[in-house]
Amino acid sequence: MKLSVFLPMLRPHLLKDMYGSIEKSCSRHSWELVVVGPFSPTQDILDKENVIFKEDWGRPTRAAQIAASLCNGELIYHTVDDCLFVENAISDSIDQYETQCQYNDMVGMRYVEGIGYKGNELSLEDWTIGNN
């Protein structure tokens, strides 16, 4: 497993669109979606082989920590339940990590916040972090 996308989740109705966006964004690598929260996702999401759900009624910070502990991926991505990923952004980020980074480096991945997002899309330069 290359990547675990994990999150605390309060709005299970958003997971179908999120899952679909991960499929388009991480098409070149294996991945799983690890979700922890008080409300169960819909059965179509639960039936997917690469989805892990654990019910927990704690705060989102605790849910995120539990989700992180359930991850099986070589790499992890912590996100939120209204995140939608830009096509190929995750695969491109993994490829960048594998070719340009060292073990302890981080790579930011592009996304938008929610369905129908109307804000400006940031340039690739805006998504780049560094230390000079």
Side-chain angles (χ1 to χ4, degrees):
M1 175 77 52
K2 180 53 85 175
L3 178 68
S4 294
V5 177
F6 73 96
L7 62 139
M9 186 261 314
L10 293 172
R11 299 171 286 189
H13 63 280
L14 298 176
L15 286 183
K16 184 174 184 175
D17 289 326
M18 174 191 260
Y19 186 95
S21 78
I22 299 170
E23 281 184 312
K24 292 176 183 172
S25 190
C26 193
S27 60
R28 299 189 306 270
H29 301 280
S30 61
W31 59 276
E32 68 180 358
L33 178 61
V34 182
V35 180
V36 175
F39 311 114
S40 179
T42 58
Q43 194 61 47
D44 60 326
I45 296 296
L46 289 173
D47 288 343
K48 300 203 181 282
E49 291 182 16
N50 63 340
V51 172
I52 297 170
F53 169 69
K54 179 163 179 62
E55 182 179 321
D56 185 77
W57 288 79
R59 295 191 183 275
T61 303
R62 179 173 110 169
Q65 293 298 316
I66 293 169
S69 74
L70 298 172
C71 291
N72 299 300
E74 176 185 335
L75 302 170
I76 59 172
Y77 185 105
H78 178 205
T79 191
V80 294
D81 62 9
D82 67 345
C83 180
L84 297 173
F85 295 94
V86 175
E87 188 171 349
N88 292 316
I90 295 175
S91 285
D92 291 348
S93 296
I94 292 171
D95 294 344
Q96 178 185 359
Y97 177 81
E98 291 179 335
T99 59
Q100 300 176 25
C101 297
Q102 297 176 11
Y103 174 75
N104 59 345
D105 288 335
M106 294 187 297
V107 174
M109 292 187 240
R110 298 171 73 198
Y111 65 91
V112 295
E113 295 180 11
I115 298 166
Y117 175 75
K118 301 288 188 221
N120 294 329
E121 185 172 321
L122 298 175
S123 71
L124 287 175
E125 183 178 296
D126 291 324
W127 286 91
T128 303
I129 59 173
N131 184 7
N132 294 331

